[in-house]
């Protein structure tokens, strides 16, 4: 007994710790260079003390440290020794992620060589540019004095950019856009030498990768220019918005564009230091700014930057409200320095003490850059057509007006009651001006400082935080507005049926079901039926298109989805459509198998058909008949019986009735759908099936099984009886194809199992296991195998692996739109316990 109860050690299922250990071993074998780089960084940091934040600059590289002091070996140590524990952690993280990805593209040996060569070259070029810039007097104010550079990410950036040349177009574009946006932001705003050396290595890596990949065949890949434009402009706006914040966090920054940060600071350190010995009105202004400095005013100061980041998020989604927000903030940011110069509040004396270049860069950052970006947004305004609903827009407008009135009234009353807390006597007009200014960032309200301010109490608290509260409400309202986009019209269903009759595949009729929308080409000759679940557009079955125009329809529908900021996915498509999408660079995963019977020559003769012939013969012998009908032709008694059979079936399920590609009673009412009933000798309906038509050149040439229900206490074999009768009688009517429909989430028995499924495939398999106890998909698929069908794989096609979680959730919600979270959790727990 004990031997059978306890399997031998080699047969025991792996533990969770064993599974993790096995995954780590596979990772190390696949990415030895990335792992070695991470280990080397940690070891170097521990050996030099930088891991404990000790000074390790003696190992750093720079014009003076490397060439002036003759420490040539720093060109190597600077690539492996981090300057702090934070730098060490970020370097290890990048090595184990993006560098590991580059290693899979380049190969381990080539990755190791490129890390050394490109990292070394990047340091040399960066040091050369650093030394050259320092020799130009006008550039000295914006070139940091030398601090030796310690940065392992320099070599990583170079190798990764070289590896992008071998990446698929999607990831090549994504890594390059995001990578250079981040590198450029740090270089232009923070401006430390590390950033410029890292950027130099990345540019060299890009060039080296282009040379290595020369002559390599590029796989074509379609991506809408609308999406590219949105992504690029969103990145630029995000860089402009986050760049000054980066410069502020890094201590003001020394990059060419870091001078724009002066517009967001609240006081001048240099003037405050002079005020220690000399008193003046300027000192009073600066001390006032210093006393009112705090978390509230600091947050208020960066409101324009936060608004730009919020706008960038909406621009990526094609939101018109984001376009308006970004344009207004950029224009205001450009006008502010001009107004400040004209009224004398901003005093810059160019070309004195070598500050000419500094003044030019300040003008570039403060005026020209926002204007150019605003102009680019204006030119591309048609790329942002996604508008909020009128109701949502009105709600936001009213909410913001009410919020402003409430906040302004509260501030005015608190300041009026607390007049004694002010540093001077203030009139009602002064309080009104003060109230209005506290809703604007300091740079926009009064860059030069000055004005009355409270010294303490509730007046000071309101002075600091009321404006912040209002802008927090504004940001929340904008984000809420993004999620209230107008939905386009669902399309003309009657025209979709006309195109179906021209010619359609076996599953095309699914596009007529309630809940589906319809897209048409400009000439209305092509159509796609889709189910909109959140922001995912699940196209149902193959598109309807004339001969040779299917690729055109696929591209146009994809552009339509991108325009409305939807994630397109094609669900339950056959191999022909899948081939066209694969040519456009789409990926796919199997989501089921369609079972098809070819009717010409079908006789059910021979031993192989015995499992079908026996139920058919027995049912006919016992007096059962197969009756064709349509829902509107049923008598009241017959319709009541069909409804009762369906309700009995649904009552046995742990979840609500499924939808999407699985029909219910609602779909039976369609006038084009035929019903085949199994009627007993006593006129009692024992089972019911429904059949959807498919056309070729205007003639019905096929029927597809959809609805299947039988009485739980009825005789076995009723479904075999109905399907067999349907095949024989439809064959006589001239049909050539009888589809038993798709088996959702089933695997093709003629195909080898996928040992390493994609994320979505793994999710769908889990969903199949969860739903199996309630719906029996696997047993249904085995049942259809009795009819010796031809198997047609069904696939889900998608463009971007990062969209898989959203697509997987949309598929689950499409099948179970009415299931509650409690029902799903209970069913998942049941499935998990069954697996254990």
């Amino acid at each position: 007994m004990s031997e059978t109860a306890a399997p031998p050690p080699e047969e025991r299922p792996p533990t969770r710790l064993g599974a993790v250990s096995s995954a780590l071993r596979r990772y190390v074998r696949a990415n030895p260079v990335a792992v070695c780089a991470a280990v080397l960084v940690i070891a170097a940091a521990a050996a030099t003390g930088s891991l404990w934040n000790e000074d390790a600059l003696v190992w750093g590289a720079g014009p003076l440290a490397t060439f002036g002091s003759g420490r040539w070996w720093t060109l190597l140590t600077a690539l492996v020794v981090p300057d702090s524990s934070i730098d060490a952690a970020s370097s290890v993280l990048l090595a184990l992620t993006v560098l590991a990805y580059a290693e899979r593209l380049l190969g381990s040996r080539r990755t190791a060589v490129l890390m050394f060569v490109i990292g070394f070259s990047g340091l040399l070029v960066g040091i050369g540019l650093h030394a050259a810039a320092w020799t130009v007097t006008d550039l000295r104010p914006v070139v940091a004095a030398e601090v030796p550079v310690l940065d392992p990410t320099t070599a990583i950036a170079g190798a990764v950019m070289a590896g992008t040349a071998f990446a698929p177009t999607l990831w090549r574009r994504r890594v390059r856009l995001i990578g250079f946006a981040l590198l450029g932001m740090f270089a232009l705003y923070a401006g430390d030498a590390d950033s410029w050396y890292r950027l130099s290595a990345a540019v060299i890596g890009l060039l080296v990768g282009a040379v290595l990949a020369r002559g390599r065949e590029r796989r074509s890949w379609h991506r809408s220019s609308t999406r590219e434009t949105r992504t690029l402009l969103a990145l630029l706006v995000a860089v402009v918005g986050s760049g000054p914040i980066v410069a502020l966090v890094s201590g003001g920054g020394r990059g060419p564009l870091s001078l724009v940060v002066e517009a967001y600071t609240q006081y001048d350190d240099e003037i405050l230091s002079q005020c220690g010995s000399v008193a003046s009105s300027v000192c009073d202004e600066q001390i006032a700014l210093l006393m009112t400095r705090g978390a509230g005013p600091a947050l208020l100061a960066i409101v324009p930057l936060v608004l730009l980041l919020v706008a960038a998020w909406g621009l990526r989604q094609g939101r018109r409200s984001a376009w308006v927000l970004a344009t207004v903030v950029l224009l205001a940011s450009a006008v502010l320095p001009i107004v400040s110069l004209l009224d004398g509040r901003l005093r810059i004396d160019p070309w004195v003490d070598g500050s000419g270049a500094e003044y030019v860069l300040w003008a570039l950052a403060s005026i020209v850059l926002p204007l150019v970006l605003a102009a680019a947004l204006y030119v591309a305004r048609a790329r942002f057509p996604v508008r909020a609903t009128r109701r949502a827009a009105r709600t936001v407008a009213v909410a913001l007006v009410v919020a402003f009135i409430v906040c302004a009234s509260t501030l005015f009353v608190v300041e009026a009651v607390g007049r004694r807390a002010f540093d001077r006597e203030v009139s009602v007009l002064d309080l009104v001006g003060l109230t209005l200014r506290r809703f604007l960032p300091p740079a926009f309200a009064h860059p030069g400082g000055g004005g009355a301010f409270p010294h303490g109490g509730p007046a000071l608290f309101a002075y600091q935080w009321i404006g912040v509260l209002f802008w927090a409400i504004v940001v929340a309202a904008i984000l809420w507005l993004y999620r209230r986009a107008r939905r386009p019209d669902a399309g003309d269903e009657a025209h979709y049926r006309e195109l179906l009759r021209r010619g359609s595949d076996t599953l095309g009729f699914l596009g007529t079901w309630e809940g589906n929308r319809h897209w048409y080409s400009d000439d209305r000759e092509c159509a796609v039926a889709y189910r909109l679940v959140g922001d995912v557009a699940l196209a149902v079955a193959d598109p309807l298109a004339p001969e040779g125009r299917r690729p055109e329809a696929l591209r146009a529908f994809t552009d339509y989805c991108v325009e409305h900021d939807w994630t397109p996915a094609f669900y339950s498509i056959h191999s022909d459509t899948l081939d066209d999408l694969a040519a456009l660079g789409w990926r796919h995963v199997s989501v089921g198998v369609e079972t098809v019977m070819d009717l010409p020559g079908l006789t059910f003769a021979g031993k192989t058909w015995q499992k079908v012939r026996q139920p058919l013969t027995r049912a006919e012998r016992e007096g059962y008949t197969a009756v064709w009908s349509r829902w509107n032709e049923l008598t009241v008694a017959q319709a009541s019986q069909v409804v009762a059979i369906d309700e009995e079936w649904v009552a046995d399920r742990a979840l609500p009735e499924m939808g999407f590609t699985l029909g219910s009673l609602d779909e039976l009412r369609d006038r084009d759908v035929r019903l085949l009933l199994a009627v007993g000798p006593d006129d009692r309906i024992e089972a019911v099936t429904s059949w959807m038509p498919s056309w070729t050149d205007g003639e019905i040439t096929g029927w597809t099984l959809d609805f299947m229900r039988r009485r739980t206490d009825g005789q076995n074999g009723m479904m075999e009886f109905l399907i067999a009768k349907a095949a024989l009688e439809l064959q006589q009517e001239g049909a050539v194809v009888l589809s038993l429909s798709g088996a959702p989430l089933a695997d093709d028995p003629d195909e080898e199992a996928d040992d390493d499924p994609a994320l979505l495939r793994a999710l769908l398999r889990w969903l199949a296991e969860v739903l199996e106890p309630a719906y029996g998909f696997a047993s249904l698929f085995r049942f259809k195998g009795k009819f010796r069908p031809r198997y047609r794989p069904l696939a889900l096609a998608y463009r971007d692996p990062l969209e898989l979680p959203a697509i997987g959730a949309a598929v689950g919600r499409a099948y179970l739109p009415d299931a509650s979270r409690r029902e799903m959790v209970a069913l998942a727990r049941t499935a998990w316990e069954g697996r254990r």
Side-chain angles (χ1 to χ4, degrees):
M1 177 66 73
S2 61
E3 293 179 355
T4 58
E10 62 272 16
E11 296 180 2
R12 289 177 181 169
T15 63
R16 181 174 299 180
L17 181 60
V20 172
S21 177
S22 177
L24 288 176
R25 286 195 297 269
R26 289 197 303 270
Y27 178 87
V28 172
R29 286 195 298 268
N31 308 285
V33 174
V35 173
C36 288
V39 172
L40 184 60
V41 168
I42 295 175
T48 58
S50 63
L51 189 60
W52 335 113
N53 292 320
E54 296 179 3
D55 186 2
L57 293 180
V58 68
W59 306 95
L64 298 179
T66 301
F67 296 101
S69 302
R71 298 198 298 268
W72 295 92
W73 39 267
T74 58
L75 292 174
L76 299 178
T77 57
L79 297 176
V80 296
V81 179
D83 62 3
S84 65
S85 57
I86 295 178
D87 189 23
S90 60
S91 299
V92 169
L93 179 62
L94 291 174
L96 297 179
T97 53
V98 292
L99 181 60
Y101 175 67
E103 184 177 356
R104 290 194 293 272
L105 298 171
L106 293 167
S108 298
R109 183 177 302 176
R110 183 183 285 180
T111 301
V113 173
L114 290 180
M115 282 189 68
F116 170 76
V117 173
I118 298 177
F120 186 85
S121 302
L123 284 181
L124 284 179
V125 171
I127 290 173
L129 292 175
H130 191 171
W134 189 252
T135 62
V136 180
T137 302
D138 284 349
L139 290 180
R140 286 191 179 183
V142 291
V143 176
E146 176 173 316
V147 176
V149 169
L150 291 166
D151 189 14
T153 61
T154 300
I156 294 175
V160 169
M161 288 303 167
T164 59
F166 298 88
T169 307
L170 169 68
W171 287 102
R172 179 169 64 250
R173 185 170 301 158
R174 175 171 293 148
V175 173
R176 288 177 178 177
L177 274 176
I178 297 177
F180 276 108
L182 291 174
L183 293 172
M185 178 185 67
F186 279 97
L188 294 174
Y189 284 97
D192 54 338
D194 306 54
S195 301
W196 287 101
Y197 294 3
R198 199 181 305 123
L199 182 60
S200 300
V203 172
I204 294 173
L206 193 68
L207 299 176
V208 170
V211 172
L212 293 176
R214 186 173 51 188
R216 182 172 177 263
E217 182 180 358
R218 297 281 182 171
R219 184 181 182 185
S220 62
W221 185 81
H222 172 73
R223 187 182 179 115
S224 170
S225 59
T226 296
R227 192 178 184 89
E228 289 180 3
T229 303
R230 289 177 183 173
T231 301
L232 180 59
L233 288 174
L235 277 173
L236 291 176
V237 171
V239 168
V240 172
S242 57
I245 296 179
V246 170
L248 282 169
V249 172
S250 63
R254 297 300 302 174
L257 303 184
S258 64
L259 297 167
V260 73
V261 176
E262 293 180 2
Y264 301 101
T265 55
Q266 300 175 66
Y267 61 91
D268 192 310
D269 288 310
E270 184 177 351
I271 294 180
L272 284 174
S273 64
Q274 296 177 2
C275 288
S277 56
V278 178
S280 67
S281 60
V282 175
C283 294
D284 295 336
E285 293 177 357
Q286 295 300 315
I287 293 174
L289 290 174
L290 181 60
M291 290 188 65
T292 56
R293 181 173 180 263
L299 292 175
L300 192 63
I302 63 172
V303 161
L305 311 181
V306 174
L307 291 178
L308 284 178
L309 293 179
V310 172
W313 178 262
L315 290 174
R316 188 187 62 84
Q317 300 172 337
R319 298 293 191 263
R320 176 52 64 98
S321 55
W323 178 85
V324 173
L325 176 64
T327 303
V328 170
V329 175
L330 288 170
L331 290 177
S333 300
V335 170
L336 168 66
I338 298 175
V339 173
S340 299
L341 284 173
L342 292 178
D343 66 10
R345 287 182 295 176
L346 187 60
R347 296 177 293 275
I348 295 183
D349 188 12
W351 316 114
V352 176
D353 297 328
S355 64
E358 184 176 13
Y359 175 73
V360 172
L361 292 173
W362 172 87
L364 175 67
S366 302
I367 303 173
V368 178
L369 181 61
L371 287 178
V372 170
L373 190 50
L377 286 174
Y378 177 78
V379 171
R381 62 190 181 279
R383 306 291 187 179
F384 307 96
V386 184
R387 299 176 183 270
T389 62
R390 290 186 175 90
R391 181 177 180 180
R394 287 195 298 267
T395 300
V396 168
V398 171
L400 293 184
V401 170
V402 171
F404 178 79
I405 293 175
V406 171
C407 290
S409 301
T410 301
L411 178 60
F412 180 83
V413 170
V414 172
E415 301 291 9
V417 173
R419 285 189 184 188
R420 294 183 178 181
F422 281 80
D423 62 332
R424 68 188 71 172
E425 190 70 24
V426 290
S427 64
V428 174
L429 187 61
D430 292 333
L431 289 178
V432 172
L434 174 66
T435 299
L436 296 178
R437 283 200 302 271
R438 294 317 296 167
F439 290 93
L440 294 176
F444 289 82
H446 199 136
F453 66 94
H455 285 269
L460 179 60
F461 182 83
Y463 179 91
Q464 291 183 328
W465 287 102
I466 288 292
V468 177
L469 174 62
F470 170 75
W471 285 109
I473 295 174
V474 171
V475 170
I478 294 173
L479 294 176
W480 182 84
L481 192 65
Y482 286 169
R483 301 184 61 84
R484 301 300 185 275
R486 295 182 191 174
R487 301 295 194 188
D489 187 79
D492 182 6
E493 181 187 344
H495 185 63
Y496 185 84
R497 288 179 181 267
E498 293 176 5
L499 296 181
L500 269 179
R501 290 181 171 87
R502 182 186 62 189
S504 59
D505 209 324
T506 51
L507 300 181
F509 200 82
L510 297 176
T512 65
W513 288 2
E514 184 70 23
N516 289 333
R517 295 165 172 260
H518 302 96
W519 167 89
Y520 300 105
S521 59
D522 292 338
D523 61 2
R524 296 179 67 81
E525 288 296 307
C526 304
V528 173
Y530 64 97
R531 182 72 57 96
L532 192 60
V533 184
D535 290 330
V536 177
L538 290 173
V540 183
D542 302 298
L544 304 179
E547 185 70 25
R549 292 190 61 186
R550 186 169 51 221
E552 171 193 339
L554 296 173
R555 285 192 296 267
F557 175 72
T558 301
D559 292 342
Y560 175 78
C561 292
V562 170
E563 180 181 344
H564 291 87
D565 190 38
W566 298 338
T567 299
F570 288 85
Y571 191 85
S572 289
I573 57 175
H574 294 103
S575 58
D576 293 341
T577 302
L578 184 60
D579 291 342
D580 290 336
L581 288 170
L584 299 176
W586 287 56
R587 304 184 183 192
H588 72 278
V589 60
S590 175
V591 293
V593 179
E594 183 185 12
T595 50
V596 177
M597 299 173 63
D598 296 313
L599 297 183
L602 181 66
T603 62
F604 293 131
K607 185 177 181 180
T608 55
W609 288 103
Q610 186 174 358
K611 292 183 179 181
V612 175
R613 191 171 57 250
Q614 285 180 348
L616 173 63
T617 304
R618 183 176 64 249
E620 289 178 337
R621 185 175 61 248
E622 295 179 2
Y624 288 92
T625 58
V627 179
W628 287 102
S629 182
R630 298 182 192 272
W631 183 266
N632 63 313
E633 298 172 357
L634 296 177
T635 65
V636 174
Q638 288 175 326
S640 299
Q641 290 185 68
V642 172
V643 172
I645 292 172
D646 181 66
E647 290 180 350
E648 183 182 30
W649 183 88
V650 173
D652 280 340
R653 299 298 178 267
L655 287 175
E657 196 168 9
M658 296 182 72
F660 192 31
T661 61
L662 301 174
S664 63
L665 278 177
D666 293 335
E667 284 69 44
L668 268 62
R669 294 177 169 86
D670 194 296
R671 291 182 176 271
D672 287 324
V673 173
R674 296 178 68 179
L675 305 181
L676 186 58
L677 313 174
V679 182
D682 56 355
D683 291 333
R684 191 177 83 150
I685 298 176
E686 297 293 334
V688 57
T689 57
S690 71
W691 301 85
M692 303 180 297
S694 58
W695 291 265
T696 302
D697 297 328
E699 299 291 334
I700 294 179
T701 56
W703 293 90
T704 301
L705 175 64
D706 175 35
F707 188 88
M708 296 174 61
R709 299 286 190 272
R710 71 178 182 88
R711 293 186 185 273
T712 56
D713 60 348
Q715 180 175 311
N716 291 330
M718 284 295 101
M719 285 303 161
E720 290 90 337
F721 166 68
L722 286 179
I723 294 175
K725 293 293 286 185
L728 295 174
E729 295 182 13
L730 293 174
Q731 179 190 50
Q732 294 177 1
E733 293 180 7
V736 296
V737 171
L738 191 74
S739 171
L740 302 184
S741 194
L745 313 176
D747 291 315
D748 186 350
D750 297 333
E751 297 290 337
E752 295 184 1
D754 186 1
D755 294 330
D756 186 21
L759 173 62
L760 182 57
R761 182 58 180 156
L763 175 61
L764 293 176
R765 285 183 175 175
W766 173 84
L767 183 61
E769 293 176 359
V770 168
L771 297 176
E772 180 60 27
Y775 293 98
F777 290 143
S779 58
L780 177 62
F781 184 58
R782 290 192 297 270
F783 164 78
K784 293 178 179 179
K786 295 180 181 181
F787 296 90
R788 302 177 62 196
R790 171 167 51 91
Y791 294 106
R792 300 181 68 191
L794 299 174
L796 183 151
Y798 60 94
R799 298 177 308 162
D800 187 345
L802 294 183
E803 296 170 347
L804 290 180
I807 294 174
V811 170
R813 180 51 62 187
Y815 271 120
L816 293 166
D818 301 321
S820 66
R821 293 183 179 179
R822 179 178 300 177
E823 290 171 323
M824 289 298 296
V825 170
L827 195 62
R829 183 182 298 113
T830 301
W832 173 254
E833 292 175 353
R835 293 180 63 184
R836 294 177 61 186

